[in-house]
Amino acid sequence: MCIRDRVSEMMRFTKFLKIEADIIVARNALVASESVPEPVIFVHPNLAKTAGIKEGDIIEVARKGRSVKLKVKVSENCPENGCVIPNGLFASYLADLENFKRFKASIEVSEGEPTKPEEILESDV
């Protein structure tokens, strides 16, 4: 097996990794188009590399029985082993009253499309 095949195999394996990350909710990190919040998460390059995450990937962020799928934007403006979610619907869905600005959550590479706002608004939780 050549090195390229080994690297490719290893990269596919990262799809099954769940990593705990520090999540910061940032008021000024708004990403929106036409007044609709974009389901985005900013990930530090070091964490992205460790987790096998690339710019544009969809990752599932899960905490306390709730989860959302967000599109990755790699950014140096994040805590070294963490992520930033813009303040809004997606962050509020994951946070709670005790941890509404910073919390730990599991992240993993996912498939499909990012979570739509109406999916959260129509959920039973």
Side-chain angles (χ1 to χ4, degrees):
M1 182 181 278
C2 74
I3 291 221
R4 187 175 356 148
D5 292 338
R6 286 184 185 154
V7 169
S8 178
E9 185 176 312
M10 188 172 80
M11 293 305 288
R12 278 184 268 141
F13 178 72
T14 62
K15 180 178 175 182
F16 303 104
L17 289 179
K18 245 185 204 182
I19 294 180
E20 186 173 83
D22 289 321
I23 308 291
I24 305 294
V25 178
R27 177 185 294 183
N28 295 328
L30 180 63
V31 177
S33 61
E34 300 176 19
S35 301
V36 176
E38 183 179 352
V40 66
I41 185 167
F42 298 92
V43 179
H44 192 277
N46 292 344
L47 178 59
K49 184 177 180 182
T50 300
I53 297 169
K54 300 179 300 218
E55 179 93 18
D57 278 352
I58 303 299
I59 62 171
E60 184 170 0
V61 182
R63 180 173 186 268
K64 293 188 172 186
R66 296 179 176 190
S67 66
V68 294
K69 291 182 180 181
L70 304 169
K71 187 174 186 177
V72 171
K73 293 189 184 274
V74 177
S75 174
E76 293 275 347
N77 296 325
C78 299
E80 190 156 334
N81 288 314
C83 308
V84 172
I85 298 176
N87 190 21
L89 181 64
F90 303 105
S92 295
Y93 183 68
L94 293 171
D96 56 40
L97 290 175
E98 294 175 8
N99 303 290
F100 63 93
K101 285 295 184 185
R102 182 181 202 128
F103 52 85
K104 292 199 179 286
S106 67
I107 62 170
E108 65 180 316
V109 176
S110 186
E111 294 181 353
E113 296 294 317
T115 301
K116 292 180 174 68
E118 49 273 7
E119 292 176 59
I120 294 172
L121 296 172
E122 294 170 356
S123 70
D124 291 337
V125 181

